[in-house]
Amino acid sequence: MKIKSLSPILSVLSASFPFASNFLQLRSEVSGYKIEKRLQALEDPISALHNTVPDLSKLLYQAIKSDSANSRWLDKSDLNLDCYRKAILLLHSHGYLEDKGYVIEFNAPSYVLYMATLSEKDNIIIELNGYMDSCESGCSIYASDLANSLNLPLALVLSVFEIYESKGYGYYDRTIDYEAYLGK
């Protein structure tokens, strides 16, 4: 018989001894904490990469939002990202972004949406998804118009177009400066 199979039996038997119940409670708390951490990593895998990822993501999103070019490239010369070096490396290794020296390129549309959900109000994200969900077959949504009407960065709108296209809901026209989404 293995030791692991004896563990529950020993726990029950040892509960009758003084102070044993305290140790059982401690063991239960520790295992509960471990389970909670594992569930959190499953529910939010990007934040689970490193404890500074959410703060870095908020900082990068604010920089995208204030950038007049509103592209998927972010000039990082004005940002102090030294304390986020490990988080940037982890995000790069998972394919979310690429650090190209003076600029950061956002490779994954899901990461741009993740940054927005951390920084924007929920009703704005819901409204953006509402526009996308209500796009009827044959109708077009122009990225610049949608970004301007909701006061969102163009990079976010383009990322949402890409996500909806990948799910098969419509087509994403990537014509530069005339990007649009066409509903199926």
Side-chain angles (χ1 to χ4, degrees):
M1 190 184 273
K2 294 184 178 184
I3 302 273
K4 282 190 173 189
S5 62
L6 287 176
S7 181
I9 296 169
L10 292 174
S11 295
V12 171
L13 292 175
S14 64
S16 62
F17 296 109
F19 299 108
S21 61
N22 293 341
F23 292 116
L24 289 174
Q25 178 66 31
L26 179 63
R27 189 178 88 182
S28 174
E29 294 290 330
V30 169
S31 71
Y33 176 76
K34 287 179 183 177
I35 290 171
E36 183 179 323
K37 289 304 244 181
R38 289 173 58 195
L39 282 174
Q40 184 181 13
L42 287 172
E43 290 174 351
D44 189 0
I46 298 174
S47 293
L49 291 175
H50 194 265
N51 59 351
T52 60
V53 166
D55 293 333
L56 169 66
S57 300
K58 288 176 187 176
L59 178 71
L60 293 176
Y61 184 78
Q62 291 308 317
I64 289 173
K65 197 165 183 175
S66 65
D67 183 18
S68 60
N70 263 329
S71 67
R72 289 192 185 212
W73 297 80
L74 179 63
D75 179 9
K76 67 178 199 175
S77 60
D78 296 335
L79 302 172
N80 182 11
L81 300 176
D82 294 337
C83 60
Y84 299 112
R85 190 178 74 69
K86 188 170 185 177
I88 291 172
L89 292 172
L90 286 167
L91 288 167
H92 170 75
S93 72
H94 284 81
Y96 293 117
L97 57 80
E98 192 166 340
D99 187 355
K100 297 187 180 240
Y102 294 105
V103 295
I104 292 178
E105 179 184 6
F106 300 101
N107 297 333
S110 60
Y111 180 65
V112 177
L113 185 59
Y114 166 80
M115 292 188 301
T117 56
L118 290 177
S119 302
E120 292 289 348
K121 294 179 182 173
D122 289 340
N123 62 335
I124 298 294
I125 302 297
I126 291 169
E127 190 172 352
L128 174 62
N129 284 328
Y131 276 113
M132 297 302 297
D133 288 337
S134 66
C135 183
E136 295 180 8
S137 178
C139 293
S140 293
I141 300 174
Y142 293 95
S144 58
D145 294 342
L146 186 57
N148 290 335
S149 69
L150 295 176
N151 192 26
L152 293 172
L154 185 61
L156 172 62
V157 173
L158 296 178
S159 294
V160 171
F161 284 3
E162 198 170 329
I163 290 169
Y164 271 72
E165 181 186 50
S166 71
K167 293 183 182 232
Y169 297 147
Y171 302 103
Y172 170 25
D173 180 4
R174 292 171 170 79
T175 306
I176 297 174
D177 290 334
Y178 297 101
E179 294 94 347
Y181 175 80
L182 178 66
K184 274 189 180 178

